[in-house]
Amino acid sequence: MRGSILAAACIAAVAFGGGASAAPSAAKLKAEAAAKVESQAKLGQVIVDTVFSFGELGYQEVETSRYLTDLLEKNGFTVTRGVSGMPTAWTATWTQGSGGPVIAFGSDIDGIPKASQTPGVAYRKPMVEGAPGHGEGHNSGQAVNILAALALKDIMAREKIPGTLMLWPGVAEELVGAKAWFVRDGMFKDVDAAIFTHVSDNLQTSWGRPLGTGLVSVEYTFSGESAHSAMAPWRGKSALDAVELMNLGWNMRREHLRPLQRSHYVISDGGDQPNVVPSKASVWYFFREIDFENISRNFALGNRIADAAAQMTDTTVTRRIVGTAAPRHFNKPIALAMKANIDKVGLPTWTPDEQTFARAVQKLVGGEEKGLATRLEPLSAPADPPVSGGSDDIGDISWTVPTVVLLYPSNIPSLPGHNWANAISMATPIAHKGVVAGGKVAAMTALDLLLDPKLIPAAKAYFETEQPKEGKYVPVIGPGDKPMIERNADIMAQFRDRMRPLYYDASKHPTYLDQLGIRFPELTPPKP
């Protein structure tokens, strides 16, 4: 399929380049866009490998954001930094003609803790022991968007196609800590359609409500009185006791919650040392549910249990919203157009080495040893009945502007997710090929939005008439809620100096694997 697209693109370039009198058809422009993305595969590889090497956690994506915004500015985009009070948040825009329609391309950029892993080896090998890394694949999505945007920019300028391309990052997605603030602060008020890209192990999209949940992420901090734990414990008011009582209360209540809910917590501050009654302690909760009503209900229940725990221990409690994610709902007309482009692009052609490597990684983690995907998945319709699962704060944007998510095949099937093993492929030819496939689909779908006069009106009609049948957007954060931009600063301060020597230097090495001395695929550890 890729060959037919490239052949058509070559015909289009000959027939319509230079001073051609007739405007090329949408089909020929889409073929040309796919060819332009293919021609920028090297840039895609460099972006993927560079961001992988930074391995930064949410709100601390300093090197990542600097690199991406500098690259976009060099390519003619106007960058606004520090969006919504987040130092690593930004928008990058480029406009042709009247400026409309506005198409926004987003993708996440943060890593996860303790996921440092050497890419291209089918065994556990941290690059820096205990350090964060891209065990969720967020190093790759901005490459998809940038390749698509550069191809679109060339075509739009030459053909004088009016419109605005806007790129933006999903900051601190693993904390669901940014997109609701972007919505609150009006980032998408002039946007006509949003294309969001996310790493996966296939090339696909969906419409309506996908598998998964929305959530509220909240940290409860209890305050009491310290005392000597042995000499005068009766004079203390233990904030840690309050945390433990809250957790006990919530765990007792789980049996009586809807089966669709998911909730989890970590004790983020358990006190200082055992011989001091803890005067401060904190617990961080995710309350997940399928719809706005039940998310709000479980959040209110968590608040009541926290208040009760404070009363039982003579402590006080405060809470702070860390993040929030609305239940997602994706636009049907845009998803149908995207699926047609997915079918034209098709999956990458995987080499025997890449398939062998994928099966070795699957065996390593106890997954099904089926290799990389070789068949496209069908268009995903809404889950009926709803199915519980993960969350993404793209949900807030999906209730603000017609939105679709493009999943692209840069990872290996049957892995655990949010795990060091999911980092193994993310700076290898597997990731690089998946990004190119995704970039083609994103560019072609954007051209549909720019050139088909019926698509954006149809998308808006679905957004305004069909989507509201599932509910109404309920924002959780208010005007006074601030993003927790200090989160993860201590972890990055601990590891950044050890990670910095491993940053990818594309001026010296063709790929990051070359820089690391990896002969892909490495299936077994070298003998000592």
Side-chain angles (χ1 to χ4, degrees):
M1 185 62 69
R2 186 192 318 170
S4 63
I5 289 176
L6 290 176
C10 291
I11 294 170
V14 171
F16 299 100
S21 57
S25 68
K28 289 177 178 177
L29 289 178
K30 288 164 67 175
E32 182 185 356
K36 283 182 176 291
V37 170
E38 183 78 42
S39 73
Q40 292 273 27
K42 173 61 181 176
L43 174 61
Q45 171 257 309
V46 170
I47 296 171
V48 167
D49 290 3
T50 300
V51 178
F52 181 93
S53 74
F54 295 147
E56 296 171 303
L57 293 175
Y59 292 129
Q60 310 304 319
E61 309 100 335
V62 178
E63 301 285 0
T64 299
S65 287
R66 180 186 298 119
Y67 167 73
L68 293 172
T69 54
D70 286 352
L71 176 62
L72 287 162
E73 282 183 324
K74 289 174 184 176
N75 281 278
F77 284 76
T78 300
V79 173
T80 301
R81 295 175 172 83
V83 173
S84 290
M86 302 177 203
T88 57
W90 44 269
T91 61
T93 59
W94 178 84
T95 297
Q96 168 66 34
S98 62
V102 180
I103 303 171
F105 296 85
S107 198
D108 301 322
I109 59 173
D110 58 326
I112 55 174
K114 298 181 175 64
S116 177
Q117 168 64 30
T118 301
V121 301
Y123 49 90
R124 180 67 165 125
K125 185 182 179 184
M127 291 194 291
V128 176
E129 186 68 47
H134 278 292
E136 75 312 294
H138 287 174
N139 61 298
S140 55
Q142 288 295 337
V144 174
N145 296 345
I146 291 171
L147 294 188
L150 294 181
L152 289 165
K153 177 174 171 285
D154 286 351
I155 292 171
M156 290 169 68
R158 187 192 71 216
E159 300 298 329
K160 296 190 170 37
I161 300 170
T164 296
L165 308 177
M166 182 179 93
L167 279 70
W168 58 275
V171 168
E173 188 277 335
E174 298 301 342
L175 308 177
V176 288
K179 298 184 186 78
W181 277 266
F182 295 164
V183 169
R184 182 195 69 181
D185 297 339
M187 181 188 286
F188 299 95
K189 62 182 176 64
D190 297 321
V191 171
D192 293 285
I195 295 174
F196 190 75
T197 58
H198 197 282
V199 65
S200 185
D201 53 44
N202 210 308
L203 187 63
Q204 62 190 110
T205 191
S206 63
W207 64 275
R209 177 172 53 190
L211 176 152
T213 56
L215 67 80
V216 177
S217 168
V218 56
E219 187 172 53
Y220 297 92
T221 296
F222 294 86
S223 300
E225 292 287 345
S226 65
H228 194 298
S229 297
M231 298 295 291
W234 57 88
R235 298 184 64 176
K237 298 176 181 178
S238 174
L240 180 58
D241 286 353
V243 163
E244 292 185 307
L245 283 168
M246 179 181 181
N247 295 342
L248 178 63
W250 184 261
N251 288 332
M252 292 296 101
R253 194 64 183 264
R254 283 180 197 270
E255 179 185 359
H256 310 289
L257 299 176
R258 297 187 346 146
L260 290 169
Q261 75 87 28
R262 298 287 186 272
S263 51
H264 348 271
Y265 60 81
V266 295
I267 296 175
S268 47
D269 180 2
D272 299 308
Q273 57 192 61
N275 64 329
V276 179
V277 173
S279 61
K280 293 280 187 183
S282 300
V283 61
W284 180 12
Y285 269 80
F286 276 24
F287 299 113
R288 302 185 198 252
E289 247 287 4
I290 290 291
D291 54 37
F292 291 107
E293 178 184 359
N294 285 290
I295 294 169
S296 297
R297 180 178 292 134
N298 286 2
F299 181 32
L301 175 61
N303 292 339
R304 291 201 304 274
I305 291 175
D307 290 340
Q311 291 175 16
M312 285 188 285
T313 53
D314 287 329
T315 60
T316 59
V317 62
T318 59
R319 57 182 175 266
R320 182 176 179 185
I321 299 292
V322 179
T324 176
R328 293 158 287 172
H329 191 112
F330 300 132
N331 193 268
K332 185 175 183 180
I334 305 177
L336 291 171
M338 179 171 280
K339 175 56 177 171
N341 294 320
I342 287 171
D343 291 341
K344 290 177 183 176
V345 171
L347 285 164
T349 300
W350 309 115
T351 67
D353 275 350
E354 289 159 359
Q355 289 286 17
T356 298
F357 179 70
R359 286 189 287 270
V361 176
Q362 289 161 345
K363 181 178 181 180
L364 173 70
V365 297
E368 182 183 355
E369 296 173 41
K370 59 183 181 180
L372 299 165
T374 56
R375 289 200 314 182
L376 292 170
E377 296 289 340
L379 178 67
S380 297
D384 187 21
V387 179
S388 192
S391 312
D392 192 311
D393 48 356
I394 190 61
D396 290 77
I397 294 167
S398 75
W399 288 93
T400 306
V401 61
T403 300
V404 290
V405 170
L406 170 62
L407 302 178
Y408 55 90
S410 286
N411 216 303
I412 297 171
S414 299
L415 303 189
H418 284 190
N419 184 274
W420 56 266
N422 288 78
I424 286 177
S425 73
M426 291 312 306
T428 71
I430 295 169
H432 305 150
K433 289 180 178 181
V435 158
V436 170
K440 293 176 182 178
V441 175
M444 294 163 72
T445 305
L447 280 171
D448 285 327
L449 291 163
L450 291 166
L451 299 174
D452 182 348
K454 297 180 180 179
L455 184 52
I456 287 179
K460 289 186 176 180
Y462 178 89
F463 178 77
E464 292 169 356
T465 60
E466 295 299 319
Q467 185 170 331
K469 294 177 182 177
E470 278 200 3
K472 181 181 179 182
Y473 179 52
V474 180
V476 175
I477 61 169
D481 287 312
K482 296 181 179 180
M484 197 176 282
I485 59 174
E486 70 277 11
R487 181 72 75 178
N488 292 325
D490 54 343
I491 299 175
M492 290 309 303
Q494 180 183 356
F495 290 106
R496 195 181 291 278
D497 285 346
R498 282 184 279 167
M499 296 167 67
R500 186 173 285 109
L502 294 171
Y503 290 171
Y504 175 42
D505 186 345
S507 68
K508 295 181 180 178
H509 304 279
T511 70
Y512 195 41
L513 295 182
D514 290 306
Q515 179 170 320
L516 297 175
I518 303 300
R519 298 184 65 181
F520 179 82
E522 284 195 12
L523 305 182
T524 57
K527 294 181 180 179

